[in-house]
């Protein structure tokens, strides 16, 4: 197995592994360790069936069943799989994940990580950005680190742009399925003990115990700060890519910069995480 860095902040390509085959425990251990270190791992040139993607993902923990998602985003036979594709919400085109976010941060069990397999990608555009929230935490001043250390933040699924811009009925249904939850603003990565900012543009709506003006000021600063260019890696997709990200210490965003009629489709699994909110 060879490891090639993809950016200075995070991301590594792993070469020499065929993910369609069952992996020996020693390889899974090596991947775990590379994943903790680089947070995003990319495998090129894979052609996985749904079963193979599920088997590979399950090497890293139990998988989510995506009950929150409906209709065309689901595979009837595979509850562990999500179809990540462009949809229309209330008459508007929505690229799945087009705001910075961390998967399932709006639940009490945010995902440990997710694995995306590229099936179709537009000729132009459709990249995904990732940001390293550990590097972003480390770059805060000691005074700001002390300020955010014990803060808690409300994460609200319906806060996301796709829902806010939808119809009132759509917003009400999203809110009913996902009541807001409270998460710590700083969390330690269980693999390395390093602290990460856990706030994102999609779901972080307010800081517990602060006025809206104070809290929004802080959330907006943390979101802007943590997605500064030097903390990011940009994935330009090829069909057959498999990419896994650590959701506890990164945020990501799909870019909606491709033509309206282009097809962009991925198959995703998410690995269940431990509760760490309140
Ligand atoms: C997600 O699966 O959470 C996404 O944000 C999708 C990312 C992508 O399609 O590039």
């Amino acid at each position: 197995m060879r490891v090639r860095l993809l950016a200075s902040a995070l991301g590594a390509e792993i070469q020499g592994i065929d993910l369609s085959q069952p992996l020996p425990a020693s390889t899974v251990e090596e991947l775990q360790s590379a994943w903790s270190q680089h947070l995003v791992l990319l495998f090129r040139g894979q052609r996985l069936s749904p079963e193979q993607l599920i088997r590979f993902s399950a090497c890293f923990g139990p998988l989510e069943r995506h009950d929150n998602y409906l209709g065309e985003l689901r595979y009837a036979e595979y509850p562990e799989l999500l179809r990540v594709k462009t949809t229309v919400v209330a008459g508007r085109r929505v690229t799945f994940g087009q705001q910075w976010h961390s998967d399932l941060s709006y639940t009490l069990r945010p995902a440990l990580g997710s694995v995306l397999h590229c099936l179709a990608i537009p000729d132009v555009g459709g990249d995904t950005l990732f940001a390293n929230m550990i590097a972003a935490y480390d770059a805060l001043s000691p005074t700001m680190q002390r300020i955010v250390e014990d803060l808690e933040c409300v994460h609200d699924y319906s806060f996301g742009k796709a829902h806010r811009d939808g119809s009132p009925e759509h917003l009400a249904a999203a809110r009913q399925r996902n009541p807001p939850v409270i998460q710590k603003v700083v969390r330690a990565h269980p693999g390395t003990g390093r602290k990460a900012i856990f706030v994102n543009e999609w779901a972080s709506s307010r800081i517990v115990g602060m006025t809206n003006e104070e809290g929004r000021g802080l959330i907006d600063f943390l979101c802007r700060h943590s997605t500064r260019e030097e903390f990011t890696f940009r994935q330009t997709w090829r069909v057959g890519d498999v990419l896994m990200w650590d959701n506890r210490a990164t945020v990501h965003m799909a870019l909606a910069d491709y033509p309206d009629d282009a097809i962009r489709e991925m198959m995703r699994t998410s690995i269940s995480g431990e509760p760490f909110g309140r």
Side-chain angles (χ1 to χ4, degrees), residues 84 96-97 101 103 116 126-128 237 245 252 254 264 266 268:
V84 171
F96 191 96
H101 65 284
D103 297 332
L116 210 50
D127 292 358
T128 308
W237 293 95
W245 62 88
H252 60 283
R264 183 182 189 280
M266 316 260 176
R268 187 184 110 183

Side-chain angles (χ1 to χ4, degrees), residues 161-235:
K161 183 172 163 17
H163 303 290
R164 268 181 289 137
D165 289 353
S167 63
E169 300 76 40
H170 182 84
L171 184 64
R175 208 146 219 259
Q176 197 174 6
R177 283 204 307 276
N178 300 278
V181 299
I182 292 174
Q183 312 282 15
K184 292 176 182 147
V185 167
V186 176
R187 70 184 297 196
H189 188 281
T192 57
R194 298 190 60 192
K195 290 182 180 171
I197 298 172
F198 196 76
V199 163
N200 65 73
E201 185 187 24
W202 175 320
S204 300
S205 60
R206 61 185 181 83
I207 300 286
V208 175
M210 286 191 174
T211 64
N212 196 44
E213 202 179 3
E214 291 166 342
R216 280 311 320 168
L218 185 56
I219 292 169
D220 290 344
F221 161 72
L222 290 172
C223 290
R224 245 186 358 263
H225 165 81
S226 56
T227 54
R228 268 167 31 192
E229 199 176 338
E230 66 261 40
F231 306 134
T232 65
F233 155 63
R234 180 174 183 140
Q235 159 71 354

Side-chain angles (χ1 to χ4, degrees), residues 100-115:
W100 286 105
H101 65 284
S102 169
D103 297 332
L104 304 179
S105 82
Y106 51 85
T107 73
L108 288 173
R109 299 180 75 96
L112 180 156
S114 294
V115 186

Side-chain angles (χ1 to χ4, degrees), residues 51-252:
E51 290 86 357
Q52 288 166 337
L53 180 64
I54 290 169
R55 183 181 60 206
F56 169 65
S57 308
C59 293
F60 303 94
L63 302 184
E64 288 290 330
R65 295 177 77 83
H66 305 296
D67 292 333
N68 198 33
Y69 291 97
L70 310 167
E72 58 183 318
L73 298 179
R74 304 299 304 270
Y75 290 75
E77 332 78 277
Y78 303 106
E80 306 90 341
L81 286 186
L82 201 55
R83 182 180 281 119
V84 171
K85 68 190 282 271
T86 310
T87 52
V88 174
V89 174
R92 286 168 196 251
R93 186 184 87 157
V94 175
T95 292
F96 191 96
Q98 68 180 336
Q99 268 187 302
W100 286 105
H101 65 284
S102 169
D103 297 332
L104 304 179
S105 82
Y106 51 85
T107 73
L108 288 173
R109 299 180 75 96
L112 180 156
S114 294
V115 186
L116 210 50
H117 185 23
C118 180
L119 304 177
I121 192 76
D123 291 340
V124 291
D127 292 358
T128 308
L129 302 177
F130 293 86
N132 181 339
M133 303 301 269
I134 294 174
Y137 174 83
D138 288 347
L140 293 173
S141 65
T143 304
M144 185 53 99
Q145 287 179 346
R146 275 195 301 278
I147 290 172
V148 294
E149 179 72 36
D150 294 321
L151 291 180
E152 293 174 318
C153 181
V154 176
H155 286 237
D156 184 347
Y157 179 72
S158 52
F159 188 69
K161 183 172 163 17
H163 303 290
R164 268 181 289 137
D165 289 353
S167 63
E169 300 76 40
H170 182 84
L171 184 64
R175 208 146 219 259
Q176 197 174 6
R177 283 204 307 276
N178 300 278
V181 299
I182 292 174
Q183 312 282 15
K184 292 176 182 147
V185 167
V186 176
R187 70 184 297 196
H189 188 281
T192 57
R194 298 190 60 192
K195 290 182 180 171
I197 298 172
F198 196 76
V199 163
N200 65 73
E201 185 187 24
W202 175 320
S204 300
S205 60
R206 61 185 181 83
I207 300 286
V208 175
M210 286 191 174
T211 64
N212 196 44
E213 202 179 3
E214 291 166 342
R216 280 311 320 168
L218 185 56
I219 292 169
D220 290 344
F221 161 72
L222 290 172
C223 290
R224 245 186 358 263
H225 165 81
S226 56
T227 54
R228 268 167 31 192
E229 199 176 338
E230 66 261 40
F231 306 134
T232 65
F233 155 63
R234 180 174 183 140
Q235 159 71 354
T236 299
W237 293 95
R238 295 183 202 159
V239 170
D241 284 352
V242 172
L243 182 142
M244 58 198 281
W245 62 88
D246 187 314
N247 201 55
R248 301 162 297 189
T250 65
V251 288
H252 60 283

